[in-house]
């Protein structure tokens, strides 16, 4: 994460802009995104992947329109999961052919909007969902492409449970049901099965595991094509490309992964015309983002040193939800050596409100600025902004040396007005 941050001053900078300057102007908590990092990460992945692999950004990781715009301009596709994300596609005038729609519990409104936008394919999570998509397609007088999301009998073992491996889950159709489902849905007139989708582990840093898992997915695709006489157009291998969070964790070697993908593509000739889709979220948007928070209090309780920040799990839920620390620095004391071990907590009235445990930091004083790195993915979007009625932070993007406000801060009085007395 820090490879992108200029280290030559005692204060942290992003894209040449001093963090302290940003917090003065936009207040804290504040999300800051570096446009250059998004571009670098996309380009790094694009260059590493063979041409048959298409990149569709998992919008759920960071749906800010400014992030979407950069990726859209770079030619990226999009994996959406809600009516809001479909609405973002519409607002940004992104061609539907660059969109897949994945996720359980698709509502009738979502299905209708996706059909209206002419998306490339629905990755379907159940037989009932397929029947509902078929009815909606019939109403719209269209034939719709679908892929079957498969809950496979194999998975990469996750270090932290996020997708859930091979257990019973709401995602996809169990592998042992898939042939029967294909038999039944093939009779429907307004949908056509053209793809399969498998996503069974998140935050994977080992390219060999990703390649081995993909090989299993390709075998499944071959079985489906052989036994069900289907000609598949795409195989969606999901997201899950990890980024380093802990000290000492290594970057995912995407060049080696691309080489493995290329070899697999050559090896399985029956799939030579099938396009692969990969749906990274975190890999593209994680490292571009920093959450800046102000230290409101410092105290010791029963031997534990606490730093209380103005951001809590209302703004940044991931560390508490996933039980994983993000890299943390004190932005105005970047060149100070760590002095103590702290627990960093937010201002909410719950002991769940913990943003970092056993964090080594320099001596902390009230007014210091704590920076949480790798907060670009599942940061702003995976929070609970209304809990305890604090301000909802602004998001700014640094682009070509300029700071752009990409979502304004919302003060509590603004959303309190939404209540009807
Ligand atoms: C269907 C789907 N695709 C892609 C992703 C992106 O995963 P990641 O950010 O780990 O790459 C997710 C994340 O939950 C997902 O549910």
């Amino acid at each position: 994460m820090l490879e992108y941050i200029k280290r030559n001053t005692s204060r942290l900078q992003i894209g040449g802009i001093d963090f302290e300057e940003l917090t003065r102007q936009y207040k804290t908590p504040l999300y800051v995104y570096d446009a250059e990092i998004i571009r670098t990460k996309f380009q790094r992945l694009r260059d590493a992947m063979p041409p048959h692999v298409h990149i569709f950004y998992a919008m759920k990781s960071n749906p800010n329109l400014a992030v979407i715009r950069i990726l859209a301009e770079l030619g990226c596709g999009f994996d959406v999961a809600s009516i809001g994300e479909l609405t973002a596609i519409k607002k940004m005038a992104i061609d539907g052919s660059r969109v897949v729609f994945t996720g359980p519990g698709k509502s009738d409104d979502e299905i209708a909007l996706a059909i209206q936008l002419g998306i490339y394919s629905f990755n379907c999570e159940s037989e009932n969902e397929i029947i509902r998509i078929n009815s909606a397609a019939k109403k719209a007088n269209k034939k719709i492409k679908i892929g079957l999301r498969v809950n496979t009998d194999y998975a990469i073992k996750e270090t932290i449970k996020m997708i859930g491996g091979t257990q019973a889950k709401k995602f996809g159709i169990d592998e042992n049901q898939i042939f029967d489902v294909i038999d039944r849905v093939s009779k429907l007139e307004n949908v056509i099965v053209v793809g399969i989708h498998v996503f069974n582990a998140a935050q994977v840093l080992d390219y060999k595991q990703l390649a081995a898992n993909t090989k299993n997915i390709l075998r499944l695709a071959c079985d489906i094509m052989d036994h069900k006489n289907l000609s598949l157009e795409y195989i969606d291998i999901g997201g899950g490309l990890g980024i380093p969070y802990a000290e000492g964790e290594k970057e995912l070697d995407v060049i080696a992964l691309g080489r493995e993908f290329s070899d697999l593509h050559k090896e399985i000739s029956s799939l030579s015309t099938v396009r692969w889709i990969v749906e990274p979220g975190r890999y593209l948007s994680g490292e571009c983002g920093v959450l800046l928070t102000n230290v409101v209090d410092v105290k010791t309780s029963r031997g534990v040193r606490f730093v209380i920040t103005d951001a809590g799990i209302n703004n940044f839920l991931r560390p508490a939800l996933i039980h994983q620390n993000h890299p943390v620095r004190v932005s105005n004391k970047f060149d100070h050596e760590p002095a103590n071990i702290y627990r960093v907590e937010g201002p909410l009235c719950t002991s769940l409100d913990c943003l970092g445990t056993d964090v080594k930091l320099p001596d902390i004083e009230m007014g210091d600025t704590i920076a949480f790195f790798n907060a670009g993915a599942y940061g702003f979007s995976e929070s609970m902004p209304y809990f305890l009625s604090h301000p909802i932070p602004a998001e700014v993007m640094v682009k070509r040396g300029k700071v752009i406000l990409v979502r304004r801060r919302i003060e509590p009085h603004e959303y309190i007005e939404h209540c009807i007395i």
Side-chain angles (χ1 to χ4, degrees), residues 349-405:
C349 302
T350 163
S351 52
L352 293 177
D353 187 24
C354 182
L355 305 185
T357 48
D358 298 328
V359 187
K360 278 191 211 150
L361 295 172
D363 273 325
I364 301 292
E365 295 156 291
M366 289 181 282
D368 283 343
T369 306
I370 306 273
F372 292 89
F373 289 88
N374 287 1
Y378 310 108
F380 185 96
S381 69
E382 193 183 61
S383 296
M384 34 207 290
Y386 294 106
F387 191 39
L388 264 98
S389 303
H390 285 280
I392 300 177
E395 293 172 284
V396 297
M397 180 173 275
V398 180
K399 205 171 182 181
R400 294 189 198 96
K402 284 208 181 94
V403 185
I404 304 157
L405 179 65

Side-chain angles (χ1 to χ4, degrees), residues 80-190:
V80 301
S82 71
I83 196 144
E85 294 180 6
L86 285 162
T87 305
I89 292 289
K90 188 173 175 181
K91 187 171 170 72
M92 300 305 284
I94 293 167
D95 197 281
S97 63
R98 294 167 66 180
V99 178
V100 291
F101 183 9
T102 318
K106 297 177 183 72
S107 71
D108 290 345
D109 285 348
E110 288 171 328
I111 292 169
L113 179 55
I115 291 175
Q116 189 200 323
L117 293 176
I119 66 162
Y120 171 56
S121 184
F122 289 78
N123 287 320
C124 298
E125 309 272 350
S126 77
E127 188 171 348
N128 279 333
E129 184 178 293
I130 299 169
I131 293 168
R132 287 172 51 235
I133 293 169
N134 184 65
S135 303
K138 192 169 184 178
K139 236 191 241 167
N141 201 19
K142 286 188 177 160
K143 188 149 188 163
I144 298 293
K145 288 182 180 178
I146 61 167
L148 304 180
R149 182 168 183 176
V150 187
N151 182 11
T152 52
D153 296 336
Y154 48 83
I156 302 172
K157 196 169 171 347
E158 290 180 311
T159 44
I160 298 160
K161 193 175 126 188
M162 288 191 240
I163 295 296
T166 57
Q167 66 187 42
K169 55 188 180 202
K170 65 179 172 180
F171 305 115
I173 299 161
D174 284 358
E175 189 169 340
N176 64 7
Q177 300 173 23
I178 209 79
F179 281 15
D180 290 343
V181 170
I182 290 173
D183 284 343
R184 290 192 290 269
V185 303
S186 298
K187 296 188 185 113
L188 299 171
E189 283 180 358
N190 293 79

Side-chain angles (χ1 to χ4, degrees), residues 2-31:
L2 291 177
E3 72 172 286
Y4 307 107
I5 308 293
K6 277 196 181 169
R7 292 164 181 244
N8 56 356
T9 66
S10 59
R11 288 159 176 269
L12 272 173
Q13 296 187 331
I14 187 161
I17 310 283
D18 196 300
F19 278 9
E20 300 301 300
E21 207 179 304
L22 294 174
T23 57
R24 257 194 311 275
Q25 193 175 348
Y26 297 99
K27 301 188 178 170
T28 52
L30 176 69
Y31 274 95

Side-chain angles (χ1 to χ4, degrees), residues 58 60-61 79 102-103 125 149 163 171 197 199 201-203 238-241 279-283 377-378:
K60 60 175 76 66
S61 68
D79 166 49
T102 318
E125 309 272 350
R149 182 168 183 176
I163 295 296
F171 305 115
H197 176 286
F199 178 24
Q203 179 50 18
L241 280 63
E279 298 168 352
R282 180 189 325 273
Y283 183 84
Y378 310 108

Side-chain angles (χ1 to χ4, degrees), residues 31-106:
Y31 274 95
V32 186
Y33 308 125
D34 185 336
E36 202 44 50
I37 296 176
I38 303 169
R39 266 194 216 106
T40 306
K41 293 297 302 267
F42 176 81
Q43 217 50 63
R44 190 178 294 171
L45 189 61
R46 184 59 278 162
D47 292 349
M49 289 294 123
H52 73 278
V53 178
H54 298 249
I55 303 171
F56 281 50
Y57 171 59
M59 207 190 276
K60 60 175 76 66
S61 68
N62 187 329
N64 191 293
L65 298 185
V67 175
I68 294 166
R69 183 179 188 170
I70 292 172
L71 290 167
E73 283 171 2
L74 290 168
C76 191
F78 294 89
D79 166 49
V80 301
S82 71
I83 196 144
E85 294 180 6
L86 285 162
T87 305
I89 292 289
K90 188 173 175 181
K91 187 171 170 72
M92 300 305 284
I94 293 167
D95 197 281
S97 63
R98 294 167 66 180
V99 178
V100 291
F101 183 9
T102 318
K106 297 177 183 72

